[in-house]
């Protein structure tokens, strides 16, 4: 079984070592083995758990929601409904975020086109464009 140091995992997951220690303190990682000198030693199983934590955090789940998911997962048969409720709620939130992000993206695109035209008019001495020509 492979073993990893906190530095290796912080680099792998692009996070500070303090974040890994925090996840451990919050109970998301469980007991992490220690070397004779007290250094944390992460297992392949720990890596899988960290991958899940990163995914859930990127999906906008709170620490409490992640903790609940892992608790449900520990008794999957008894909590499959709870797991699905939690995941479907997050899924709906992500869909809403994607829609809002798409709207923001289109607005920024309009602003880029407009201000590019403004810049062009300033450099060429042409007529200043009207925002109404760009807001669609």
């Amino acid at each position: 079984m492979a073993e990893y140091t906190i530095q290796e995992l912080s680099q792998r997951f692009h996070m500070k070592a303090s974040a890994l220690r925090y996840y451990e303190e919050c109970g998301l990682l469980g007991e992490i083995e220690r070397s004779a000198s007290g250094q944390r030693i992460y297992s392949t199983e720990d890596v899988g758990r960290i991958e899940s934590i990163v995914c859930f955090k990127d999906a906008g789940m709170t620490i409490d929601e992640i903790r609940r998911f892992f608790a449900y997962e520990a008794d999957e048969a008894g909590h499959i409904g709870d797991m699905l409720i939690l995941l479907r709620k997050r899924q709906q939130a992500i869909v809403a975020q994607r829609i809002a992000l798409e709207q923001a993206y289109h607005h920024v695109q309009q602003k880029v086109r407009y201000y590019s035209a403004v810049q062009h008019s300033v450099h060429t001495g042409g007529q200043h464009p009207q925002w109404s020509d760009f807001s669609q």
Side-chain angles (χ1 to χ4, degrees):
M1 181 160 69
E3 295 181 345
Y4 306 90
T5 66
I6 198 167
Q7 290 81 17
E8 290 171 328
L9 293 185
S10 66
Q11 289 174 354
R12 177 175 178 169
F13 291 104
H14 308 288
M15 66 175 62
K16 293 181 179 182
S18 60
L20 290 167
R21 288 189 293 272
Y22 176 71
Y23 295 151
E24 184 181 353
E25 289 172 21
C26 289
L28 298 181
L29 291 176
E31 285 294 316
I32 301 298
E33 287 190 44
R34 303 282 181 138
S35 69
S37 64
Q39 184 180 21
R40 287 170 173 82
I41 301 171
Y42 295 89
S43 68
T44 303
E45 185 178 303
D46 296 324
V47 171
R49 179 60 72 102
I50 295 166
E51 286 172 344
S52 293
I53 293 167
V54 169
C55 176
F56 288 149
K57 288 294 292 169
D58 287 347
M61 288 176 81
T62 65
I63 294 294
D64 185 55
E65 288 172 323
I66 297 169
R67 188 182 296 115
R68 274 189 286 142
F69 179 84
F70 289 149
Y72 295 155
E73 191 177 53
D75 180 18
E76 189 176 84
H79 290 283
I80 193 70
D82 296 318
M83 291 171 71
L84 286 169
I85 288 169
L86 185 63
L87 291 172
R88 286 182 177 138
K89 181 180 172 185
R90 180 53 34 206
Q91 185 180 35
Q92 291 170 348
I94 290 170
V95 168
Q97 289 172 328
R98 288 177 68 187
I99 290 168
L101 189 57
E102 188 68 24
Q103 291 170 342
Y105 174 73
H106 288 296
H107 184 76
V108 168
Q109 277 186 311
Q110 289 173 333
K111 292 287 190 183
V112 167
R113 287 194 309 271
Y114 173 72
Y115 286 108
S116 292
V118 168
Q119 182 182 42
H120 179 73
S121 71
V122 167
H123 287 216
T124 63
Q127 185 174 352
H128 192 83
Q130 298 298 310
W131 172 247
S132 59
D133 295 336
F134 294 86
S135 59
Q136 303 169 32

